[in-house]
Amino acid sequence: MHPDGEKRSSRRSTRSVTLAEVAEHAGVSPQTVSRAIRQPGVVSEDTLERVQASIRSTGYVPNLAASNLASNRSRTIAVLIPAVSASVFAETVQGLETVLAPHGYHLFIGTTEYSLQQEEEMLRAFLGRRPDGIVLVGTEHTPGAQTLLSAARVPVVESWELTQHPVDSVVGFSNYAAMSALVEHVHSLGYRFPVLAGQFSGGDVRALRRRAAFEDGMRRLFPQVPVRILDSGTAGVSMDAGRDLFRQARTELPQADVIMFSSDVFAAGALLEALRSGTSVPTEIGITGFGGFDVGRHLVPTLTTMLVPSRRIGEEAGRVLLERIESGQKPSSSTIVDVGHTLVAGESTAQQ
Amino acid sequence: MHPDGEKRSSRRSTRSVTLAEVAEHAGVSPQTVSRAIRQPGVVSEDTLERVQASIRSTGYVPNLAASNLASNRSRTIAVLIPAVSASVFAETVQGLETVLAPHGYHLFIGTTEYSLQQEEEMLRAFLGRRPDGIVLVGTEHTPGAQTLLSAARVPVVESWELTQHPVDSVVGFSNYAAMSALVEHVHSLGYRFPVLAGQFSGGDVRALRRRAAFEDGMRRLFPQVPVRILDSGTAGVSMDAGRDLFRQARTELPQADVIMFSSDVFAAGALLEALRSGTSVPTEIGITGFGGFDVGRHLVPTLTTMLVPSRRIGEEAGRVLLERIESGQKPSSSTIVDVGHTLVAGESTAQQ
DNA sequence: TTGAAAGCGCTAACAC
DNA sequence: GTGTTAGCGCTTTCAA
């Protein structure tokens, strides 16, 4: 049937259809098939139809690794997040995908478990895929990672924090400003002894920023009050840990009239622990969270918290990437997008 | 310095270091560098050190696209899930990553939004990356997807459901059996009029299995009782929708003494709606969930539910893939892993 | 509008 | 243990 069908090399271990085979089938050159796929407008209607028919009948699926190698574009975005299952980051990933998938970009997801060292390692591994863009959480990275990022020569978007000097671009909000606003809110409600509870030794840099904001806010607005912070250690961010923190705060710091948690997950656990133990919120003690865990809105009482637009962070990051990739990715000016934060005054705090 | 440094083609648009450059730097052949990286044991210690030094000083990062093309292995796994932000699937992804990342496999994540049509499209797009394995949620796929899957000639793991005739392998549990067990539990508690509430028109095939189990269970155990089902339509799986379903059930089906929700998210919303509206659970009405949303454990009352090991599904799927990939992926026998399900008798139901 | 030639950066196969 | 040769399947460049 096909005269030179046997000249196939023995190296080919897959039996997948190649561009050349489609070309042969359609009676055109490989080049024409390639064009028919990528720039259908530039091929004559006649040829186009013939090629498309051949693609269908052969079941051709383009090999993107070959395309990548030849064109030096992978249509791939590397995404490094602390954890997939931490819900808030999952929202960001969803936002990224929503924006990028329609443009043919696929997402490589890697998790760093809040470790900068692991971030560097994953980054190194991912760079081998030659991604067209990189999304990171946070603005702090190891020196090694910094070097890798500049050497990669692709758009980089840092997220979930803000800085005046991003590696390239940054999409996020100021954890410091957000927490400051929350402290001010608590102050304006007339609370007299706020304490902070959360996880500050697990490597989460953004939690440390919030803690700094708490400390500064205390010194500024509650100068007479000692700054008290409860650290859950490395137990992880869970509702269980939140319940423990709540009990600990009630026992060790009975003077406190409001407990500010570094995360909504902790706060939700605390609120339910209060409910279970018969502690009335906000009458006996006030509770605030941080982050916008959906459950907070539904709890009884509803949770006072700082809402973070996690999904929008992903969407904006996707847009910034697209723009920089399409525009020939000049690393001239860095884009800084502040997605802001929203105070939600729930029922878990009240005017004193 | 380097005699033939100028023979570089103009096509090279990246300035990234290549294997050949490392080889030149180290004074060995490219092949030796390749071996030093992939099979360090087979290279002499002397050479190995020299090569490693060159890699470091040049900042070489292997181009995996080229490697993929030459070796016909991408060290890539395609993962298609209904949604990233639906938490349960995020756990599965985390499980996959935990098992696969240490072996050098990276994950491509795509979301289908519970649409089989979109699953097929994403699958087609992902196959261009020539993944070494594919993970899908569910055992139902479009005919087109089925064709693509067999043509791909790589291990495929379906998940979150069980079937005797998987495309290749399957890791999951029987949604039907799990829901049946829950109906039996409710029956054994002495409830007289269970109703089912959830979303059954959003394309979630597994929810339909659970509904079928409910219907069959009702006919078997509650033959006198009409089978009543509340469908939230296409509102999406949210706590808000759960609250609506709860109110609707109380109004339209006052005879019901237990509401069985198709998902823990709905049930959690319902439980909090009950709390807010002063309806006592389980005294006035019983509530059950499905899935193992972590919040259920902490609610007051705690939620009666069917726990699904979502993370373990990912881990097992990862193991099955690894085994099949390493073993030369003979599609001879299909592996079927039942991860089971666990009934959690919470406080939201009680002996009648 | 189409085709021919060359090469992207790596690895398989085979020699030495 | 190391090097040479010949591709993997595609796109770029240039010519027709």
Side-chain angles (χ1 to χ4, degrees), chain A residues 19-43:
Chain A
L19 194 72
E21 288 166 344
V22 176
E24 196 181 337
H25 185 107
V28 296
S29 79
Q31 192 43 242
T32 301
V33 177
S34 176
R35 274 193 282 258
I37 292 170
R38 292 175 303 129
Q39 332 170 39
V42 94
V43 167

Side-chain angles (χ1 to χ4, degrees), chain A residues 140-182:
Chain A
E140 288 195 24
H141 317 285
T142 62
Q146 308 258 20
T147 309
L148 288 170
L149 288 172
S150 352
R153 293 163 189 282
V154 293
V156 176
V157 177
E158 294 165 278
S159 66
W160 277 88
E161 185 51 274
L162 235 38
T163 174
Q164 286 310 306
H165 307 288
V167 173
D168 175 2
S169 292
V170 60
V171 175
F173 62 97
S174 164
N175 279 273
Y176 187 94
M179 191 65 189
S180 297
L182 201 52

Side-chain angles (χ1 to χ4, degrees), chain A residues 13 72 74-75 240 297, chain B residues 13 64 72 74 129 240 297:
Chain A
S13 42
N72 222 7
S74 64
R75 294 209 161 260
D240 275 315
R297 260 176 48 222
Chain B
S13 43
L64 266 34
N72 220 11
S74 65
R129 310 268 176 202
D240 275 314
R297 261 175 50 223

